[in-house]
Amino acid sequence: MKRVAVVGATGAVGTELRCVLAQREFPAESYRLFASARSAGRRIDWVDGPLTVAELGPHSFDDVDLAFFSAGASISREYAPLAREAGAIVIDNSSAFRMDRDVPLVIPEINAKAVRSHNGILAVPNCSTIIMAVVLWPLHRVHPIRRVVVCTYQAISGAGARALAELESQTADVLAGRPPTPHVLPVPCAFNVFSHNTPIGEDGYNVEESKMIAETRKIFGDDTLRIAPTCMRVPVRRVHTEALSIEFETPITEQDAREILGTAPGLEILDDRAANRFPTPLAAEGRDEVYVGRIRCDPTIPDGRGLQLICAGDQLRKGAALNAVQIAELLSPGSAASERKRGPT
Ligand code: A2P
């Protein structure tokens, strides 16, 4: 499992993926970077010297054991089956296969064992789903959750590298007194807050919201979990923040929640009421952990069964690239994850 391809290597998630692979010293024998014709020939610095980006094509996977895909769902639909036929295992960051029955949808802190039953393609959940789920799961294991109301404050880079560039240029435009002109996102993103830029279904929920519901149910293996999301974009470069109101089956105290979340993998509590310091996008940027805070009981839910909190997670990192590499580590004996599991010798 050592010859690795990165599809979408020049994009927002692809760039973070390259960074995470290098930082975690992923045990690859070789790397191949793919993007569109626009980027073909571009040189990118890599651990052992620069690599040249190639245009993705039907024969890109001839000598590849493991392929990370982060070039959008249509590219995944077209090329991931070709990669699998060529003998590669695909770890896909897009929504193309997430809900397929034979495709494990994996957050290693929650359902690591699901990687055992893959059919050549494994899927990384949506970024907002991951950031919410890593917080909900440790609570749900001890105190079953009945219902979640979640509001997201999502970073612009979640819409890709071009959207992030648009935020930066529009911010400069507004500060210089020029009107912001949207090209990538449907409305001006600088100094604005707007409903998530995915299409709205007949039920009134946008695609991002529907993903949060369906994917969380699949990952938790619980089709009855009730989730009511509202997904918004805010003029933040990276990191999604989410406000959660959680109703449990049985009473839970604030202290219970702190103890559970304080020892759960992948989480860090940042909850200093005296200093008014809680999770923020800037605090969580570039971090592997999802920050949790504002932990408090919800008095509007009877019998002490309600909890409110906020969380903030780097959606390019734990929400995409890091989660993908963690899945690869579960599949690769000798990787950082399996070394950590074995412990020091
Ligand atoms: P490119 O940079 O050449 O356009 P983001 O999510 O940040 O927008 O990134 C999307 C990624 O998907 C980029 O690496 C982009 O490459 C890549 N991509 C877009 N279209 C294609 C395509 N037709 N074939 C291969 N890669 C593509």
Side-chain angles (χ1 to χ4, degrees):
M1 170 83 68
K2 302 297 178 192
R3 296 165 303 174
V4 175
V6 178
V7 178
T10 52
V13 173
T15 301
E16 192 65 24
L17 197 58
R18 290 188 276 109
C19 178
V20 173
L21 286 165
Q23 284 173 344
R24 292 172 80 89
E25 298 178 0
F26 188 75
E29 207 174 276
S30 62
Y31 281 103
R32 300 176 66 188
L33 307 182
F34 296 104
S36 77
R38 290 180 291 275
S39 306
R42 196 177 133 191
R43 305 271 283 171
I44 288 185
D45 282 336
W46 194 253
V47 188
D48 300 320
L51 280 180
T52 304
V53 178
E55 181 182 359
L56 183 66
H59 298 293
S60 297
F61 306 99
D62 287 350
D63 298 310
V64 167
D65 301 306
L66 175 68
F68 292 100
F69 273 69
S70 56
S74 57
I75 297 291
S76 290
R77 269 188 219 105
E78 185 175 350
Y79 288 95
L82 299 180
R84 176 169 59 183
E85 278 162 31
I89 292 178
V90 171
I91 299 181
D92 184 30
N93 264 297
S94 84
S95 60
F97 310 105
R98 284 180 191 147
M99 298 311 294
D100 289 8
R101 288 176 71 99
D102 64 344
V103 173
L105 186 60
V106 185
I107 301 176
E109 291 84 351
I110 299 177
N111 61 343
K113 286 184 185 154
V115 300
R116 292 182 193 157
S117 58
H118 73 83
N119 201 1
I121 300 178
L122 300 101
V124 177
N126 166 272
C127 46
S128 305
T129 305
I130 294 179
I131 291 160
M132 173 178 74
V134 291
V135 175
L136 292 181
W137 178 251
L139 296 167
H140 184 60
R141 287 184 68 192
V142 186
H143 298 271
I145 291 170
R146 190 179 280 184
R147 177 170 181 259
V148 181
V149 178
V150 52
C151 298
T152 70
Y153 309 80
Q154 296 184 224
I156 298 296
S157 56
R162 289 176 60 234
L164 178 59
E166 180 158 289
L167 173 66
E168 290 167 348
S169 65
Q170 282 185 7
T171 303
D173 284 343
V174 173
L175 291 175
R178 294 185 295 268
T181 314
H183 297 290
V184 180
L185 289 163
V187 293
C189 55
F191 303 98
N192 203 6
V193 172
F194 55 99
S195 182
H196 195 274
N197 48 293
T198 42
I200 312 256
E202 279 181 11
D203 58 2
Y205 284 86
N206 63 43
V207 168
E208 184 84 351
E209 293 161 352
S210 299
K211 285 177 187 172
M212 290 185 80
I213 299 167
E215 293 179 15
T216 306
R217 287 177 171 172
K218 177 170 174 175
I219 296 159
F220 284 19
D222 182 352
D223 278 344
T224 64
L225 192 60
R226 286 184 279 158
I227 304 174
T230 302
C231 290
M232 307 290 289
R233 288 256 185 233
V234 292
V236 159
R237 296 180 82 245
R238 59 193 275 178
V239 174
H240 293 348
T241 305
E242 302 184 14
L244 309 181
S245 296
I246 313 162
E247 180 180 345
F248 297 87
E249 298 282 354
T250 51
I252 179 169
T253 66
E254 198 182 294
Q255 191 51 31
D256 291 338
R258 283 179 199 286
E259 279 168 19
I260 292 166
L261 296 171
T263 53
L267 297 181
E268 175 114 8
I269 294 183
L270 183 55
D271 203 14
D272 185 345
R273 289 178 181 172
N276 219 333
R277 282 200 64 232
F278 302 110
T280 62
L282 290 182
E285 185 168 324
R287 303 290 309 211
D288 286 352
E289 305 80 18
V290 172
Y291 282 101
V292 195
R294 299 289 332 269
I295 301 164
R296 62 213 190 273
C297 287
D298 178 353
T300 67
I301 294 178
D303 313 322
R305 292 182 296 101
L307 198 69
Q308 288 194 285
L309 53 82
I310 65 168
C311 56
D314 190 323
Q315 95 289 351
L316 295 176
R317 208 168 170 88
K318 180 57 191 166
L322 172 63
N323 199 84
V325 175
Q326 286 175 310
I327 293 173
E329 289 171 346
L330 289 171
L331 297 168
S332 313
S335 69
S338 45
E339 293 301 325
R340 272 195 294 278
K341 219 175 279 165
R342 264 211 309 270
T345 49

